[in-house]
Amino acid sequence: LQLLIPMFANIQFQGVSDTGYTLLPFVWESIGEVKPLLIEYLYCYLLLPYNIGKFGENVPPCLSKKAMDSLKANNNVLPIEDALEAIKLSILLFLTTEHFKHHSETFVLLVAASGDPRVRVKEKAESILKKVSLPDCLSSLDIIRGLFSLFLGGPMYTHSRPKGTKRAKVRPADEEAKSADYLIRLRIFPLLIKSDIAHDVFPDCIQIIFESLFGEVTNMRLMDYSLQFAHQLCVKTSDK
């Protein structure tokens, strides 16, 4: 994967265009067990900041130390700026191919990309999300947990894991992801407000309110969203 993903910008994916480079012949039936790992790897790549060099040894938002180590090739160099933007755009194209027939597999990745600071990446992710059935995705407990994890940090978690997989209560420190920056948080919160089950995911539903009101990464829009979500919490939370 360390060799393959940086080459995505030079690969034409089947079903995307009739011109360009050689098609990428993925056959999921033969490597189905690898698919969740690939999705998580793509997830981490979409979260890479363009100015990764400024972080030094520190871990950037949304990522864990373990995830950063897995992204680095043997020469310890990661793509930056325009090269990284091209890779992210190609990853989004890849997520629209026939290999990902269920939006539930890629929804968290697309939301993360929709909070990208580069306009082309953001708009591409948003255009794909417009084709997704929001009611179906936002009624999935796995997806909602994935959005909470992306927002708050902690164990990195996407819907690509096998059904029924639970987050471990205790994980090594290097597997704990940093919380999201405000751009991604602004994309997540409206989705949680629209969901009919997000207010029942405890304790995340409480943590996200306090984090948005009193945390270091917030602004007036996030504070407003947190108050809307708090109202929804009071009105819609089940008695179970």
Side-chain angles (χ1 to χ4, degrees), residues 37 88 100 117 227 230:
L37 299 177
K88 288 186 178 184
F100 302 95
L227 294 177

Side-chain angles (χ1 to χ4, degrees), residues 62-120:
C62 300
L63 294 168
S64 65
K65 185 179 185 304
K66 183 176 180 179
M68 286 298 299
D69 291 342
S70 71
L71 292 174
K72 294 177 181 178
N74 293 332
N75 59 7
N76 209 38
V77 175
L78 288 168
I80 60 173
E81 302 296 342
D82 292 345
L84 180 56
E85 180 184 24
I87 293 172
K88 288 186 178 184
L89 287 169
S90 61
I91 288 175
L92 292 175
L93 281 177
F94 181 46
L95 296 179
T96 65
T97 62
E98 61 183 8
H99 308 304
F100 302 95
K101 297 179 181 179
H102 304 290
H103 294 305
S104 59
E105 293 179 309
T106 59
F107 187 79
V108 176
L109 286 73
L110 295 173
V111 173
S114 70
D116 196 272
R118 293 275 178 122
V119 174
R120 289 204 301 163

Side-chain angles (χ1 to χ4, degrees), residues 20-84:
Y21 294 89
T22 305
L23 298 178
L24 187 63
F26 277 108
V27 182
W28 294 120
E29 289 76 9
S30 60
I31 57 171
E33 294 183 0
V34 178
K35 188 176 181 182
L37 299 177
L38 174 60
I39 292 177
E40 291 199 9
Y41 199 81
L42 297 178
Y43 177 61
C44 294
Y45 237 102
L46 288 171
L47 293 169
L48 266 180
Y50 295 95
N51 55 348
I52 187 65
K54 86 166 192 177
F55 290 93
E57 296 299 318
N58 296 320
V59 178
C62 300
L63 294 168
S64 65
K65 185 179 185 304
K66 183 176 180 179
M68 286 298 299
D69 291 342
S70 71
L71 292 174
K72 294 177 181 178
N74 293 332
N75 59 7
N76 209 38
V77 175
L78 288 168
I80 60 173
E81 302 296 342
D82 292 345
L84 180 56

